[in-house]
Amino acid sequence: MRQIITSAVVWIAACVIMVLWLGAGKPSAVVGLFLVSGLAVGSLYALGGIGLVVLYRATGVLNLAAGAIGMAGVMFAWQAVQWGWPQPVAWIAGLALSVGLALGYGRGVAPRMEWREPVVKAVATLGFALVILGVVSFLFSDDPRKFALPTDKSAVMILGLRVTVTRLIVIALSVFLVVAISIALNRTRIGLQMRALANNRRLSALIGIPILRVETVAWGVAGLLFGLTGFFFGDLVRLEPAVITFLVIPCVAAAIAGRLESLPDVLMGGLTMGVIESLLTLSPQLKNVRPVAPFVIAALVLLAMNWRRRISITGEE
């Protein structure tokens, strides 16, 4: 708990410094608008990052196909609505497709690469992402399209700012999932088995943990999180296959901010990245570097984590 509080103080301080620096001289309403927008986008980074961390801790796979899996789900949901399906049915079908793609890879391909190096597993998921992107690009034209949720039309006033219910849902959902998944990992049998796999896969197999079943659960949960990320990104930012596919890049940065381990740090890191990225728009000199902001932050986190650490040539501290 002490570490979480310390991390929260650092992340909040970083946001306050950026608000004071980039928002100096700007109307408070404009700064507040970019702040809320950044929190919503940062929640998407965190949501995807949570899925990456849950899967990595259970399987050792850094899934670079996360964005593509979410993209396929939201594109199918949009198409289903165009066919005249009721919206709730289309949403469920889209999320089911995301879960199905994740489970299909997790059960069909991942076990065959079980003992390969982590970088090989990650590159394989990148290939899976490109396959999904290629299929979707073949099926859908480049025409502009819009994926809208009913909550976009509802809003509440917070400190004089109009905030849509969709943005509030995204922020609340990311916080809720961090709490719920953290409790599940610490209090449930499947969570204990996931943590055992993360610590020592070979030993977990020897003591009888059903590795395939645990990994299937992890792939399914991660697929659902990727699907939700794609849905909200398609609604709040843009419904474009390539853009959503490469959403995985800032999500990876958020996961790195949490050291691929700590879900609270993933959440706080993702929110901070979204806020800073949004606030950079206020600076004419820095607005063009917005896309690299998440990785600069992740790099600074890695430097801070390894400050004064000495690693031998064998990889031991």
Side-chain angles (χ1 to χ4, degrees):
M1 181 57 73
R2 184 177 179 181
Q3 184 179 359
I4 295 175
I5 294 174
T6 303
S7 297
V9 170
V10 172
W11 288 118
I12 292 173
C15 288
V16 171
I17 291 172
M18 295 302 289
V19 168
L20 294 176
W21 176 36
L22 297 171
K26 307 288 190 309
S28 59
V30 174
V31 177
L33 188 64
F34 280 95
L35 183 62
V36 172
S37 177
L39 285 173
V41 174
S43 297
L44 295 176
Y45 297 164
L47 203 56
I50 292 167
L52 289 172
V53 171
V54 168
L55 185 63
Y56 183 80
R57 289 181 62 171
T59 67
V61 177
L62 181 60
N63 187 8
L64 299 180
I69 290 172
M71 175 272 293
V74 68
M75 290 299 292
F76 182 79
W78 175 84
Q79 184 59 60
V81 172
Q82 304 308 308
W83 287 336
W85 292 18
Q87 284 191 333
V89 177
W91 302 336
I92 293 173
L95 291 175
L97 177 61
S98 294
V99 174
L101 286 171
L103 285 175
Y105 185 90
R107 292 299 297 265
V109 180
R112 291 170 173 76
M113 309 184 70
E114 190 173 357
W115 303 108
R116 299 301 302 268
E117 297 79 4
V119 66
V120 175
K121 296 178 183 178
V123 170
T125 61
L126 180 60
F128 185 51
L130 295 177
V131 169
I132 296 174
L133 178 60
V135 171
V136 173
S137 300
F138 176 76
L139 295 175
F140 291 88
S141 65
D142 293 332
D143 297 336
R145 53 184 67 84
K146 172 67 177 174
F147 181 76
L149 296 171
T151 50
D152 295 343
K153 299 176 182 176
S154 303
V156 296
M157 299 301 292
I158 300 177
L159 300 177
L161 296 173
R162 183 179 182 276
V163 183
T164 65
V165 173
T166 304
R167 284 189 165 88
L168 293 177
I169 289 175
V170 171
I171 296 171
L173 182 64
S174 59
V175 175
F176 169 77
L177 285 173
V178 166
V179 175
I181 294 176
S182 297
I183 292 174
L185 288 174
N186 291 305
R187 303 285 179 84
T188 65
R189 183 178 181 83
I190 190 71
L192 177 64
Q193 292 172 337
M194 285 185 179
R195 288 190 289 128
L197 280 184
N199 289 332
N200 193 314
R201 185 184 186 83
R202 190 182 298 274
L203 186 58
S204 299
L206 290 175
I207 63 176
I209 290 179
I211 292 180
L212 194 58
R213 189 174 70 187
V214 174
E215 288 188 342
T216 300
V217 172
W219 279 100
V221 171
L224 180 60
L225 293 175
F226 299 152
L228 289 171
T229 306
F231 265 55
F232 286 114
F233 193 88
D235 176 273
L236 293 175
V237 183
R238 195 185 310 173
L239 183 59
E240 186 175 324
V243 174
I244 303 178
T245 296
F246 293 104
L247 165 68
V248 70
I249 296 175
C251 292
V252 169
I256 291 174
R259 307 179 299 281
L260 290 172
E261 180 180 336
S262 169
L263 294 180
D265 279 324
V266 173
L267 173 64
M268 291 183 284
L271 291 174
T272 303
M273 290 172 186
V275 168
I276 292 177
E277 186 181 349
S278 178
L279 290 174
L280 285 174
T281 309
L282 296 171
S283 170
Q285 294 80 22
L286 298 175
K287 63 181 180 182
N288 292 330
V289 302
R290 288 177 58 238
V292 304
F295 280 94
V296 172
I297 297 170
L300 292 175
V301 170
L302 289 176
L303 288 174
M305 285 166 48
N306 291 286
W307 181 254
R308 293 186 176 179
R309 291 176 65 187
R310 295 290 184 269
I311 308 295
S312 70
I313 196 170
T314 61
E316 297 178 351
E317 291 190 44

